[in-house]
Amino acid sequence: MNNQIQRPKPAVRANVQNLALAGLLIALGTILSFLKLFDLPYGGSVTICGMLPVMVFAYRAGPKWGLGAGLAFSVLQLLFGLDALKGVSGATVAGSIFLDYLLAFTVLGLAGLFRGRLKSHPAAFTLGCLVAGLLRYLCSFLSGWILWSEYADAAFSPLLAGMSGQQLACFYSLVYNGGYMIPEILITCLAGFLVMKFAGKQILKGTEDSLGRG
């Protein structure tokens, strides 16, 4: 009888490490999402790098793991944001759950798309943060345009009386969601560059990457 304790296979160890790290960074991102610089009246806020932890995990672990972490993060954001959906129609609630939460935060898992495609890790990560952030902005824009266009009349009708309903709704969503998403993206990209510049070796320790350099 063999009494030796078998060590877990490298792939199993990597999966366990990824699960543990994902849980830690999702929790950190959730906490940071409550630390807000400002809130907009109809939803949306600029946080202190609430998106960054999930993006860091996505860059380290790859898109497959990153999208999984983004989805888990989106469910938590949905649970904490349900109050904002009270008093609206069922179709709007369903559409908002998909566009404003599930899809909008899952795409943060694409922040690692450029790892290995650029020689510099800080540059690759910053570009990934920019693309993932813009994808979230796109989701919010589509939600505002399609689902929340009724607020455009109150916000912009007196100023842009010459616009049609759809044009007004499109402009409203672009401006309103840009009011918090653009600062959020810029803050995240700056913080992401600095984090990868000064802590990239520690973050990426134990991962294989023959193309990227710090």
Side-chain angles (χ1 to χ4, degrees), residues 8-31:
K9 295 180 180 180
V12 175
R13 286 204 307 271
N15 288 341
V16 172
Q17 289 174 353
N18 280 338
L19 284 172
L21 184 60
L24 178 64
L25 292 179
I26 290 169
L28 177 59
T30 302
I31 293 170

Side-chain angles (χ1 to χ4, degrees), residues 147-213:
L147 303 174
W148 304 100
S149 59
E150 61 188 272
Y151 293 100
D153 290 334
F156 289 111
S157 286
L159 299 176
L160 301 170
M163 282 191 175
S164 66
Q166 284 299 311
Q167 290 174 332
L168 186 62
C170 179
F171 182 79
Y172 160 76
S173 184
L174 190 68
V175 172
Y176 181 88
N177 289 294
Y180 68 92
M181 277 309 309
I182 291 175
E184 180 91 354
I185 292 169
L186 292 176
I187 292 171
T188 301
C189 287
L190 176 59
F193 177 84
L194 294 174
V195 165
M196 200 57 63
K197 181 69 176 179
F198 296 105
K201 290 183 179 179
Q202 290 75 22
I203 291 171
L204 301 176
K205 186 177 180 180
T207 64
E208 295 182 359
D209 188 348
S210 60
L211 294 176
R213 298 175 184 173

